[in-house]
Amino acid sequence: MAQDFSSTYILNDLRRCTRCTIPETHETVVFDEQGVCNICKNIEYKHTQVDWDDRKKQLLELVEQYRGKGPYDCIVPFSGGKDSTFTLWYIMRELGLKPLVVSFDHSFYRPKTIENNERTQRKLGIDFLKFRSDWKIVRKLMLESLKRKGDFDWHAHVGCFVYPMQIAVKFRIPLLFWGESSAEYTAYYNYAEIEEVDERRHHRINDLGISAEDMVGFLGGAVTMRDMEPYIYPSSQELRQLGVRSVCLGSYIPWDVKKHYEIIHRELDWQGDQVEGVPPQYPYEKVEYQLQGPRDYLKFIKRGYARTTHLTSIDIRNGRRTRDEAKELIEKYEGKRPASLDYLLPILGISEKEWREIALAQAIPPYQHDFSREQNDEPLWDMKLWEWNPQ
Ligand SMILES: [Zn+2]
């Protein structure tokens, strides 16, 4: 298969989808005989095979079963990023539901997101519940998951999915609306099915194969099961008794991040931001998380690609960007060392040398990272405002 991607540090020798450029190191990716990936095929299915009018009908039937039955019609898990903000807007303005908005605070919100969240809450008028778990425990979990899985975000992945489920049980609210379907970016699920955001999906996608019990064991007495309360998925018996439906809005309406960004910008004055390793053409992407730069940089060290490839691949699938344009953006923005790594390393309590060793140990073959060819990225405008007290 002819490759139009040169062998440079950024556009390395990895085999890539001949359509969207996603490389062979992407989770769940498989190529067909033409070299087209399964995610491209799934998005083609989304555009040509899914009966979206019928899906919308299914959505309306679903919400009518729950509307007005209790103090709240549903839960919307909320980070304040583009997807959960759009989901909340849609649930209220298009479906006329009354949600309880539930937010797990991962301790790393950026200033503009905090302002966006305030504006969204005031403009829509909502009951809002925010929970932040113990910072000292968070730091321990971050280091442990980095060492075990090459991913320091276990607490965020797990907390954001588990906490709203716990609240569903505690407040007796059986319907939850998440944002986009995972089929939009990976092949764990496909668009032919209605994706249930349940414990099975949680173990497949979110928890990196590590349960709260595992963490207690790994940390050898440094944390207890009581400390892990925010990370324990409710029992299947509790969820069954409540009759929980936990679904993605993106299974029922065609997900289009660019369009959704325009809507929330216009309707809620939602403001984008600069993000490390992300071209300015995508001001809406992952703006909420201080550690997005290090998260994507870690992905690059392990897999040889990061967020610019991800974003341009979506545009290519949607017919909004050519491969050559994507290539130019990837070369320019991807794979740099983010300045915010200097913020993260003291939180983890490790040196950069240890960081590199841990990352390399989790590398996905055939990619091999070359630190000597890296460039440094510029610090974000707000990094100086981020608060962290090492005590
Ligand atoms: Zn593809």
Side-chain angles (χ1 to χ4, degrees), residues 57-289:
K57 201 165 139 258
Q58 290 183 43
L59 173 64
L60 297 176
E61 284 167 8
L62 174 71
V63 302
E64 289 320 313
Q65 294 170 37
Y66 296 91
R67 193 192 295 275
K69 300 276 167 65
Y72 301 100
D73 297 322
C74 64
I75 284 177
V76 176
F78 185 81
S79 69
K82 65 183 186 315
D83 296 309
S84 60
T85 302
F86 172 78
T87 301
L88 177 59
W89 176 84
Y90 189 93
I91 291 297
M92 295 187 71
R93 291 283 171 85
E94 296 292 309
L95 298 179
L97 294 173
K98 183 191 173 195
L100 175 62
V101 180
V102 178
S103 182
F104 178 86
D105 181 346
H106 43 55
S107 298
F108 298 102
Y109 276 118
R110 293 178 64 193
K112 266 197 190 175
T113 292
I114 294 168
E115 287 172 17
N116 277 339
N117 289 356
E118 279 294 323
R119 265 196 305 275
T120 296
Q121 288 176 43
R122 283 164 198 247
K123 278 180 187 281
L124 287 173
I126 47 175
D127 285 357
F128 189 89
L129 183 63
K130 184 165 103 165
F131 175 85
R132 180 185 287 170
S133 63
D134 181 337
W135 167 249
K136 290 186 178 179
I137 303 293
V138 164
R139 287 182 66 194
K140 291 184 177 117
L141 298 175
M142 287 174 74
L143 180 59
E144 194 61 28
S145 76
L146 176 66
K147 283 182 180 168
R148 300 259 169 192
K149 294 287 175 180
D151 183 336
F152 54 81
D153 279 316
W154 186 88
H155 83 286
H157 301 312
V158 174
C160 290
F161 279 89
V162 164
Y163 187 67
M165 300 307 290
Q166 292 185 350
I167 292 301
V169 172
K170 283 177 185 151
F171 282 66
R172 314 288 307 159
I173 306 170
L175 180 62
L176 294 95
F177 274 108
W178 306 83
E180 78 278 24
S181 158
S182 75
E184 193 69 15
Y185 312 126
T186 55
Y188 291 106
Y189 293 83
N190 61 61
Y191 266 111
E193 59 193 321
I194 300 289
E195 187 174 327
E196 198 78 23
V197 187
D198 55 11
E199 192 169 12
R200 178 168 161 263
R201 182 184 184 275
H202 180 63
H203 293 316
R204 281 174 100 178
I205 301 182
N206 304 326
D207 78 356
L208 313 171
I210 301 176
S211 68
E213 288 87 347
D214 294 335
M215 272 294 186
V216 172
F218 295 158
L219 286 162
V223 301
T224 66
M225 277 310 284
R226 293 183 78 196
D227 296 326
M228 297 305 288
E229 177 60 25
Y231 308 101
I232 300 171
Y233 208 88
S235 72
S236 45
Q237 192 190 4
E238 283 174 308
L239 293 168
R240 226 182 5 254
Q241 276 172 357
L242 185 59
V244 162
R245 289 297 315 276
S246 171
V247 294
C248 300
L249 185 58
S251 294
Y252 297 98
I253 64 167
W255 211 253
D256 184 338
V257 286
K258 280 209 155 94
K259 201 170 119 199
H260 295 174
Y261 164 57
E262 282 162 21
I263 291 172
I264 58 177
H265 182 63
R266 186 179 68 233
E267 300 287 325
L268 301 172
D269 194 20
W270 189 92
Q271 299 292 324
D273 210 341
Q274 177 198 353
V275 174
E276 290 165 306
V278 173
Q281 287 90 333
Y282 303 92
Y284 48 78
E285 180 71 7
K286 293 288 175 189
V287 296
E288 65 272 20
Y289 196 43

Side-chain angles (χ1 to χ4, degrees), residues 17 19-22 36-37 40 317:
C17 171
R19 196 177 293 171
C20 75
T21 86
I22 279 288
V36 177
C37 81
C40 278
R317 290 181 203 122

Side-chain angles (χ1 to χ4, degrees), residues 143 146-147 345-355 358:
L143 180 59
L146 176 66
K147 283 182 180 168
L345 291 176
I347 293 171
L348 293 170
I350 57 171
S351 67
E352 188 151 0
K353 183 169 174 287
E354 289 169 293
W355 159 271
I358 293 167

